[in-house]
């Protein structure tokens, strides 16, 4: 078999985090009873007119600036005509001729190898409704709540060569958009959806092969599997001496294979024309500068600042900033307790462990910085030891309890009464003469046994340092 190279480009649809839709005042909130978040404008009733949501333009510009694009200061909308029941107007307002952002790129890092993935363009458009097939056997229902939710479509250049590069690109893009506050990027709610354009060619060839498009892949894992599956399929077709057909395919993640849906449309199939109901958009220099000034600190800057300002290792800074939610939690907790390395340890070790155990995403962490800070204060004050702290943290993580009142209620506070502790140890030493003898015969392990017995008698609520000290004294 010949050697092949995989060529991948992505079209990423991102739902913007505006409160209202792109051309009307309806809410963009996810879910809701079917057809309760819509009005005559977003359901395309005849005679209605769209009014552009200014926030959509600002979010698109922010995304463009953060991905090193040139902003099209005179841009406009176009009509993409297609007839499908999820879009009652029979056209989608989108941008073809003058997209708002062009010619950008972001740097990815795969196993230490850095590479820039080009961004061909970012355009604004409206989302369509949702077809509901599942509930009845013989009919399909339509929910228009999502109709008119603002989207940006980020179209990459065909610069990626492997699933690893695709995942690295998507992760970087997701972080940028989350840090900007432009989208929550929740894949399970469809706020970030990726279509994968893939072709293969013989290694060293200069022309691209014929590509296929796989739509609506809703997890990074599914994307990686779909790329691997489609790459193999195309190579097999070529090796059999057949031709790849340009088409849209649906990846079935359960069956681990893709199926042809329809032949892939070209732009001309949509009969695009300038949208007559909306005036062209003029982004003045002043407006552009205003958006630029408002750009928040992005991940790379944040990482550098953490290392410098909080004096934490690069490894910690990278892990904490890999989710905006975790980074926010870190900063808020440090602001209260002023112990950056301690906070970082709780987030990196126990929080990450519990996220995995509960199969949760970092975006869904629900405990407050106040409660983590209180837990750290309890350890610092010697009120609880680390073993107890880990148990308490599990409850903070799941139920966001107040650790102060929790340890009091459950009687977990450490016994710091030296007299009581000494009495217990004296009893244990008296009850274990063999261990005392062993210790004096050079078996130092015997001391560990006595410490362990004491901790058991104290139900784990004693300071191990203090126990060690007293046992040592009594053994001398
Ligand atoms: Zn509406």
């Amino acid at each position: 078999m010949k050697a092949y190279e995989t060529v991948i480009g992505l079209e990423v649809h991102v739902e913007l985090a505006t409160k209202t839709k792109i051309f009307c005042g309806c809410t963009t909130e996810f879910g809701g009873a079917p057809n309760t978040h819509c009005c005559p404008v977003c359901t395309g009733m005849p005679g209605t007119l769209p009014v552009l949501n200014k926030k959509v333009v600002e979010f698109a510009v922010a995304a463009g600036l953060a991905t090193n694009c040139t902003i099209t200061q005179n841009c406009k909308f176009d009509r993409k005509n297609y007839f499908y029941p999820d879009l009652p107007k029979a056209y989608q307002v989108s941008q073809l001729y003058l997209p708002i952002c062009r010619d950008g790129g972001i740097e990815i890092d795969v196993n230490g190898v850095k590479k820039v993935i080009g961004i061909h363009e970012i355009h604004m458009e409206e989302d369509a409704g949702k077809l509901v097939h599942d509930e009845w056997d013989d009919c399909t229902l339509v929910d228009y709540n999502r109709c008119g939710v603002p989207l940006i479509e980020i179209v990459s250049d065909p610069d990626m060569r492997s699933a690893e590069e695709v995942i690295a690109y998507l992760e970087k893009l997701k972080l940028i958009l989350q840090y900007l506050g432009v989208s929550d990027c929740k894949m399970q709610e469809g706020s970030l959806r990726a279509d994968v354009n893939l072709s293969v060619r013989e290694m060293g060839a200069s022309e691209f092969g014929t590509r296929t498009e796989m739509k609506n892949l809703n997890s990074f894992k599914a994307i990686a599997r779909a790329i691997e599956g489609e790459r193999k399929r195309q190579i097999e077709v070529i090796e059999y001496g057949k031709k790849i057909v340009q088409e849209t395919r649906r990846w079935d993640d359960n069956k681990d294979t893709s199926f042809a849906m329809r032949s892939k449309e070209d732009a001309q199939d949509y009969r695009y024309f300038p949208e007559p109901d909306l005036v062209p958009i003029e982004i003045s220099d002043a407006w552009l500068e205003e958006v630029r000034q408002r750009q928040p600190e992005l991940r790379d800057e944040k990482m550098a600042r953490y290392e410098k300002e909080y004096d934490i290792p690069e490894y910690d800074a990278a892990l904490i900033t890999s989710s905006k939610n975790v980074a926010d939690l870190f900063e808020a907790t440090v602001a209260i307790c002023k112990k950056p390395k301690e906070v970082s340890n709780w987030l990196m070790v126990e929080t990450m462990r519990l996220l995995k155990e509960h199969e949760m995403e970092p975006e869904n962490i629900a405990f407050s910085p106040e409660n983590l800070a209180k837990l750290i204060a309890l350890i610092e004050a010697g009120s609880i030891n680390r073993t107890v702290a880990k148990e308490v943290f599990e409850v903070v993580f799941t139920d966001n309890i107040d650790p102060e009142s929790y340890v009091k209620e459950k009687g977990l506070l450490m016994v710091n009464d030296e007299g009581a502790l000494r009495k217990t140890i004296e009893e244990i030493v008296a009850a274990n003469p063999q261990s005392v003898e062993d210790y004096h015969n050079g078996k130092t392990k015997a001391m560990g046994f006595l410490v362990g017995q004491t901790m058991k008698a104290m139900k784990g609520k004693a300071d191990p340092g203090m126990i060690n000290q007293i046992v040592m004294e009594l053994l001398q």
Side-chain angles (χ1 to χ4, degrees):
M1 201 171 87
K2 296 170 200 145
Y4 290 91
E5 179 180 49
T6 318
V7 176
I8 308 161
L10 291 187
E11 289 165 22
V12 177
H13 287 89
V14 179
E15 278 185 1
L16 299 180
T18 54
K19 288 198 171 59
T20 55
K21 291 185 179 180
I22 185 167
F23 299 125
C24 64
C26 292
T27 176
T28 54
E29 208 180 307
F30 178 75
N35 300 310
T36 53
H37 298 171
C38 31
C39 73
V41 175
C42 52
T43 50
M45 294 296 149
T48 58
L49 285 171
V51 178
L52 177 60
N53 182 342
K54 187 178 170 191
K55 202 79 203 158
V56 172
V57 180
E58 292 186 345
F59 277 173
V61 170
L65 290 174
T67 51
N68 310 301
C69 289
T70 306
I71 307 300
T72 314
Q73 288 180 257
N74 286 291
C75 73
K76 61 186 186 65
F77 282 103
D78 304 293
R79 269 189 198 183
K80 179 181 182 180
N81 297 284
Y82 71 93
F83 184 70
Y84 200 64
D86 64 1
L87 195 65
K89 284 191 290 201
Y91 61 83
Q92 180 188 30
V93 178
S94 180
Q95 295 190 291
L96 177 73
Y97 301 106
L98 293 169
I100 187 158
C101 316
R102 286 180 283 194
D103 302 326
I106 53 176
E107 191 181 66
I108 59 164
D109 183 331
V110 177
N111 304 323
V113 181
K114 292 192 162 80
K115 177 177 178 180
V116 173
I117 305 299
I119 289 179
H120 183 258
E121 66 172 70
I122 300 177
H123 59 255
M124 302 178 283
E125 60 186 28
E126 57 184 337
D127 209 348
K130 250 186 212 161
L131 298 185
V132 186
H133 305 287
D134 314 335
E135 283 170 58
W136 290 271
D137 285 342
D138 55 349
C139 70
T140 293
L141 301 176
V142 202
D143 177 5
Y144 290 125
N145 283 354
R146 205 178 64 181
C147 230
V149 167
L151 295 176
I152 50 174
E153 182 176 336
I154 304 166
V155 183
S156 85
D157 288 320
D159 287 345
M160 286 159 273
R161 297 291 176 266
S162 66
E164 291 76 38
E165 287 186 7
V166 169
I167 303 302
Y169 168 79
L170 281 172
E171 269 170 0
K172 181 106 190 213
L173 202 57
K174 183 175 160 181
L175 273 179
I176 291 173
L177 298 168
Q178 284 177 336
Y179 271 100
L180 287 173
V182 152
S183 173
D184 61 19
C185 295
K186 286 184 184 164
M187 288 190 94
Q188 69 276 20
E189 289 183 8
S191 356
L192 186 145
R193 317 193 280 268
D195 299 343
V196 176
N197 286 295
L198 186 149
S199 64
V200 296
R201 62 179 172 188
E202 257 183 70
M203 210 53 107
S206 54
E207 298 277 301
F208 287 129
T210 306
R211 67 193 161 96
T212 60
E213 182 184 37
M214 284 180 290
K215 275 201 169 306
N216 290 327
L217 297 160
N218 57 8
S219 76
F220 285 179
K221 279 183 189 147
I223 290 169
R225 284 192 290 264
I227 288 171
E228 194 43 38
E230 180 60 9
R231 184 186 73 86
K232 277 194 193 143
R233 189 193 69 84
Q234 290 193 12
I235 293 173
E236 260 175 44
V237 171
I238 295 168
E239 286 282 312
Y240 272 115
K242 290 187 184 155
K243 282 204 156 47
I244 304 290
V245 182
Q246 184 175 330
E247 63 192 355
T248 300
R249 299 181 69 86
R250 186 174 58 84
W251 173 253
D252 188 327
D253 208 32
N254 297 320
K255 297 197 177 113
D256 227 27
T257 185
S258 67
F259 300 94
M261 279 166 75
R262 54 172 192 261
S263 65
K264 164 88 182 144
E265 306 81 356
D266 278 325
Q268 62 192 24
D269 297 322
Y270 289 111
R271 302 291 186 269
Y272 277 95
F273 62 84
E275 167 59 54
D277 287 343
L278 287 160
V279 292
I281 306 155
E282 265 202 47
I283 303 165
S284 66
D285 292 345
W287 191 15
L288 189 58
E289 196 45 40
E290 220 182 289
V291 178
R292 200 191 299 275
Q293 291 301 328
R294 277 205 304 262
Q295 292 288 84
E297 183 183 45
L298 296 178
R299 195 222 182 159
D300 295 350
E301 298 155 14
K302 213 181 254 299
M303 257 181 77
R305 180 168 66 82
Y306 281 10
E307 285 174 56
K308 214 171 137 221
E309 190 179 327
Y310 299 124
D311 195 24
I312 58 171
E314 186 187 351
Y315 178 84
D316 293 36
L319 208 108
I320 291 168
T321 55
S322 65
S323 152
K324 170 147 195 304
N325 196 23
V326 176
D328 289 347
L329 193 56
F330 171 75
E331 286 184 42
T333 314
V334 173
I336 305 169
C337 75
K338 321 275 185 234
K339 299 244 179 297
K341 184 59 187 144
E342 185 70 19
V343 178
S344 153
N345 287 345
W346 280 101
L347 293 175
M348 291 198 311
V349 186
E350 289 303 303
T351 307
M352 292 301 155
R353 178 179 72 77
L354 291 168
L355 279 175
K356 212 169 170 186
E357 200 176 297
H358 293 269
E359 294 182 352
M360 277 168 62
E361 295 295 322
E363 285 85 62
N364 300 323
I365 292 174
F367 64 84
S368 67
E370 288 76 17
N371 286 338
L372 176 54
K374 277 186 186 173
L375 184 71
I376 291 170
L378 286 169
I379 305 165
E380 291 287 324
S383 307
I384 53 174
N385 64 30
R386 295 220 165 247
T387 317
V388 171
K390 279 186 192 174
E391 287 164 28
V392 176
F393 182 70
E394 291 196 4
V395 198
V396 172
F397 181 89
T398 48
D399 301 321
N400 192 28
I401 47 108
D402 174 347
E404 266 171 23
S405 27
Y406 183 82
V407 296
K408 270 180 210 150
E409 262 166 48
K410 301 275 171 182
L412 295 170
L413 284 170
M414 222 159 27
V415 181
N416 287 325
D417 174 352
E418 202 190 321
L421 189 58
R422 186 174 288 271
K423 193 164 165 282
T424 309
I425 297 174
E426 278 168 357
E427 281 165 20
I428 284 167
V429 168
N432 293 282
Q434 186 62 48
S435 297
V436 179
E437 204 188 314
D438 286 352
Y439 178 79
H440 289 301
N441 290 332
K443 290 185 186 165
T444 39
K445 261 192 194 165
M447 181 175 158
F449 172 76
L450 294 171
V451 170
Q453 289 300 103
T454 311
M455 196 51 113
K456 202 167 157 194
M458 301 302 293
K459 298 194 174 68
K461 294 180 295 185
D463 175 359
M466 202 187 278
I467 299 181
N468 263 313
Q469 198 192 329
I470 299 173
V471 171
M472 189 71 95
E473 265 174 45
L474 293 177
L475 284 175
Q476 297 310 322

